[in-house]
Amino acid sequence: MTITGEMLIGARSHRGSDGEFRAVDPATGAELEPAFGGGGSAEVERACALAWAAFDAFRETGLEARAAFLETIAANILDLGDELIVRAMAESGLPRPRLEGERGRTVGQLRLFAQTVREGGWLEARIDPAQPERQPLPRPDVRQRHIPLGPVAVFGASNFPLAFSVAGGDTASALAAGCPVVVKGHSAHPGTSELVGRAIRAAVASCGLPEGVFSLLFGVGNPIGTALVTDPRIKAVGFTGSRGGGLALMEAAARRPEPIPVYAEMSSINPVFLMPAALAARAEALGKGFVASLTMGAGQFCTNPGILLGIDGPDLDRFVAAAVDALGGSAASTMLTPAIQAAYDSGVARLSGSAAVATLARGLACSGPNQAQAALFGTTADAFLAGPALQDEVFGAASLLIRCPDAAAMRTVAERLEGQLTATVQMEPADGDAVAALLPTLERKAGRILANGWPTGVEVCHAMVHGGPFPATSDSRTTSVGTLAIRRFLRPVCYQDIPAALLPEALRDGNPLGLWRRIDGVPGQE
Ligand SMILES: NC(=O)C1=CN([C@@H]2O[C@H](COP(=O)(O)OP(=O)(O)OC[C@H]3O[C@@H](n4cnc5c(N)ncnc54)[C@H](O)[C@@H]3O)[C@@H](O)[C@H]2O)C=CC1
Ligand SMILES: O=C(O)CCC(=O)C(=O)O
C-alpha cells in the first residue's frame, strides 16, 4: 500500500496544508519519504462533524455487527503484512521481533474487545420492575443500561507505534463502546499510522458503517491537539505520553464550556522492592533480571523499573554487583526520536550531577545517532526523602537504587512515592510479614502490584489494570489496557416508566439479546 502523507478524514484522503513534516529514522538520522501535510482547525472541524454525524447510528449498531467490525480491523492490519513492520522499524528504531509481537498484541486486543462487545456485560443492564401495589408509594419501573459518551479523541503514543497508537487500546476500547474515534497520530511514526488508519477505514467501509466512525489527523506542533480536545463534539480523550502533554490536555479539557474526561497515562517510575529473603536467596539472578527489564526496548516503557529499594547489607551488595556487571555489558540502543534521546540524556545528567547520587554503572558507549547508554544510580533513603526531584521520571533505561537502613525506612520511602502504574516485590515466603506490612501502601500508590516478576510487558486480559493514581494517570478509577478500559467511554442512562416499545433492546422484557442482567438486584439471564 502506498503511503501518501495524507490525513484520513472519514472516507476522504486529504493533504494538510498547515506545515509539512517527515518521519525520521532514528537509527540513521535520515528523513523518510513521503512528506506529511499537517492539519489545522479546518481538518479538526471536518473530522469532528463527521464523527458527530456518525455517533447515533454507530452507537446503536448490534453487538454482533460491532464485534465483526473490530475483527475486520484486526484482519486488515494483518493483511498489511510485512510492509507495516518494515515501516514501523524504520520510524521507531525498534527491532522486528518487538514490532511483530506488538502487532500480535494489537490484533489480539481488538479481538478481545470483539468478544467483550458480543458478550454484552459492559451494558450493565439492570431492571427494577414496577411495584404498583407498594405502600406507602408505588415503585416506578426503573431500568438502566450504559451508552457511549460520544466521539473520542485519541493521541497515539510514540513508544508503542501499534499497540498504543492508531488502532491501540484507546481506539479499540472506544470503538467497542460505540464511540467514533478521531486519532491525532504521533509525528514520530506517521507512515505506520497512515497504514493502520487505512486498515481501519477499509473496515468502516466494508462493514457498512458511517464514514465518520474513524478519522486520522496529523499536525505540526500542539495546536491541532488542543483544537481536537476543545472541539465541542469530542466527549472524551485517551492519551499516552509525557506528564507535560497530559497535563496540558487535561487543562484544555477542563477549560471547555463543557469539560470532558481526559484519560491520560503519563509518568511512572515503577518501584521494585527487593525484600531481604529474596536477596539472600537469589541476589545475582535478581540483578540480571532487573537489567533485562530495564534495558528492554531501550527502556522506553512507562512500566520500566525506574526505582529499586533494598535494605543495606551484603545481600544488596551482591545484587548491585550483578546488576552493575549486566548493565555495564549492555549495548547502547536507539531511542524513538531525537527529542526523546535528548530528554533521556538530560535526565541522566541531572541524576549524575546530583551530589546525593552516585553513578553505579553505565552501559556500553553509543555507536550511532540517537542512541542511549543505560544507567544505574544509587542514593540513600534519607537523600531520596530530602530530594523530591529524585523521583522525576527519566524516560529510558535509567534506574535509581535506594539503600534503606531497615524495613521501616523502606515503608517511609514507599509512602513518599507519587502514584504509579506498578509496584513490584521480589520476595520469598520468609518475607511474607514485611510484604503484608507494605501492601496497604502499595495498594494506595499503584494500579498493579506484582510479586517476583518485572513490570514491563502488560498482559492484555480482563483483570488487568494499567492505570494508577496521579501522575501515573489522570484518573485512577480505570485502566487503559484490558477489557475494563471500555468503561472509560460509557455512562449509565436510566429509563423510568418508558413504554416497552421505546426501550432499548438490552432492557426489554424477555431479554432478546440474552444478556446477563440484574433483575431487582439479582444477576441472571432472564
Ligand atoms: N509515560 C509514558 O508512557 C510515556 C512517556 N513519554 C514521555 O514523553 C516525552 C516525549 O515523548 P512524546 O511521546 O512525544 O510525548 P508528548 O507528550 O510530548 O506527545 C504525545 C502527543 O501529545 C501531543 N501533545 C503533547 N503536548 C501537547 C500540548 N501541550 N498540547 C497539545 N498536544 C500536545 C503531541 O503532539 C503528541 O501527539 C518522553 O521523553 C517521555 O518523557 C513518552 C511516551 C510514553
Ligand atoms: O509494558 C507494557 O507492555 C506497556 C507499557 C506502556 O503502557 C507504555 O510504555 O506506554
Side-chain angles (χ1 to χ4, degrees):
M1 192 182 283
T2 311
I3 298 171
T4 63
E6 293 166 318
M7 287 175 278
L8 309 177
I9 304 183
R12 246 181 75 203
S13 303
H14 170 83
R15 182 155 200 94
S17 54
D18 271 11
E20 201 175 73
F21 68 99
R22 283 180 173 76
V24 171
D25 180 344
T28 60
E31 287 196 328
L32 299 170
E33 294 300 333
F36 282 74
S41 51
E43 286 82 6
V44 169
E45 162 63 32
R46 175 88 186 129
C48 293
L50 285 174
W52 187 250
F55 179 43
D56 275 337
F58 183 53
R59 75 188 177 89
E60 291 300 355
T61 42
L63 300 183
E64 180 51 42
R66 202 174 314 152
F69 170 49
L70 295 171
E71 286 166 346
T72 307
I73 297 173
N76 290 355
I77 289 173
L78 289 178
D79 282 349
L80 290 167
D82 209 40
E83 185 185 359
L84 178 67
I85 301 297
V86 169
R87 181 73 191 195
M89 284 165 65
E91 290 186 332
S92 68
L94 293 169
R96 174 179 283 278
R98 150 68 196 269
L99 287 165
E100 286 176 348
E102 201 183 319
R103 176 176 59 186
R105 174 169 162 173
T106 308
V107 165
Q109 189 159 257
L110 286 158
R111 291 178 175 153
L112 187 65
F113 275 110
Q115 270 174 31
T116 300
V117 168
R118 265 195 195 99
E119 182 260 333
W122 56 276
L123 287 158
E124 293 193 50
R126 294 164 181 229
I127 300 178
D128 293 332
Q131 293 174 353
E133 312 304 333
R134 191 182 68 174
Q135 293 299 329
L137 288 172
R139 183 172 82 175
D141 181 274
V142 182
R143 301 179 186 225
Q144 184 197 109
R145 71 162 176 167
H146 279 67
I147 69 160
L149 292 179
V152 172
V154 169
F155 287 76
S158 57
N159 61 335
F160 276 78
L162 300 171
F164 284 79
S165 199
V166 176
D170 286 341
T171 298
S173 52
L175 292 176
C179 299
V181 167
V182 181
V183 174
K184 193 275 173 181
H186 200 288
S187 47
H189 53 258
T192 308
S193 298
E194 186 188 324
L195 288 172
V196 173
R198 286 186 184 278
I200 301 179
R201 186 167 80 175
V204 171
S206 68
C207 294
L209 296 171
E211 58 169 323
V213 164
F214 174 77
S215 289
L216 169 63
L217 304 175
F218 295 113
V220 177
N222 294 336
I224 190 164
T226 313
L228 187 56
V229 169
T230 52
D231 187 284
R233 291 155 297 200
I234 293 294
K235 301 301 179 192
V237 179
F239 169 93
T240 302
S242 68
R243 186 163 173 167
L247 284 172
L249 296 180
M250 283 162 69
E251 210 180 300
R255 272 201 322 265
R256 292 168 41 127
E258 179 201 358
I260 53 168
V262 175
Y263 299 105
E265 185 206 312
M266 296 172 284
S267 161
S268 184
I269 52 173
N270 306 298
V272 176
F273 296 84
L274 303 164
M275 305 309 287
L279 281 178
R282 49 194 162 93
E284 287 76 16
L286 286 173
K288 274 196 201 137
F290 155 68
V291 171
S293 174
L294 178 72
T295 53
M296 182 194 293
Q300 300 167 116
F301 286 81
C302 53
T303 45
N304 183 270
I307 284 250
L308 297 155
L309 295 95
I311 298 174
D312 220 348
D315 291 331
L316 186 59
D317 293 342
R318 283 169 49 218
F319 169 87
V320 171
V324 164
D325 190 45
L327 193 137
S330 68
S333 36
T334 307
M335 295 197 81
L336 294 156
T337 69
I340 288 177
Q341 196 277 333
Y344 175 77
D345 274 356
S346 79
V348 164
R350 180 172 48 76
L351 284 174
S352 59
S354 162
V357 172
T359 300
L360 303 179
R362 294 301 308 264
L364 296 172
C366 301
S367 58
N370 301 310
Q371 288 192 345
Q373 270 177 288
L376 179 61
F377 297 100
T379 192
T380 61
D382 280 348
F384 186 83
L385 293 171
L390 292 184
Q391 62 173 306
D392 290 351
E393 181 186 42
V394 177
F395 189 69
S399 192
L400 178 63
L401 171 79
I402 304 172
R403 284 183 181 268
C404 302
D406 51 30
M410 215 184 215
R411 288 200 300 277
T412 306
V413 172
E415 279 297 342
R416 194 63 74 78
L417 292 172
E418 295 186 303
Q420 304 293 335
L421 291 170
T422 71
T424 301
V425 284
Q426 298 294 347
M427 62 176 289
E428 290 290 310
D431 294 312
D433 287 349
V435 172
L438 199 54
L439 266 180
T441 306
L442 302 189
E443 286 168 346
R444 276 188 279 104
K445 295 288 176 181
R448 176 165 59 112
I449 305 166
L450 311 70
N452 296 333
W454 298 101
T456 39
V458 175
E459 185 69 33
V460 181
C461 58
H462 302 289
M464 179 46 66
V465 176
H466 189 57
F470 183 86
T473 76
S474 53
D475 190 334
S476 63
R477 291 168 295 182
T478 182
T479 172
S480 64
V481 175
T483 54
L484 192 68
I486 195 173
R487 283 234 187 118
R488 298 176 299 170
F489 304 118
L490 295 168
R491 70 179 176 84
V493 174
C494 174
Y495 303 79
Q496 185 169 326
D497 286 334
I498 299 296
L502 296 181
L503 281 171
E505 269 192 307
L507 299 179
R508 288 199 184 156
D509 291 344
N511 196 7
L513 299 182
L515 301 172
W516 279 92
R517 313 194 290 187
R518 276 185 187 274
I519 313 285
D520 254 337
V522 181
Q525 251 179 324
E526 286 169 49

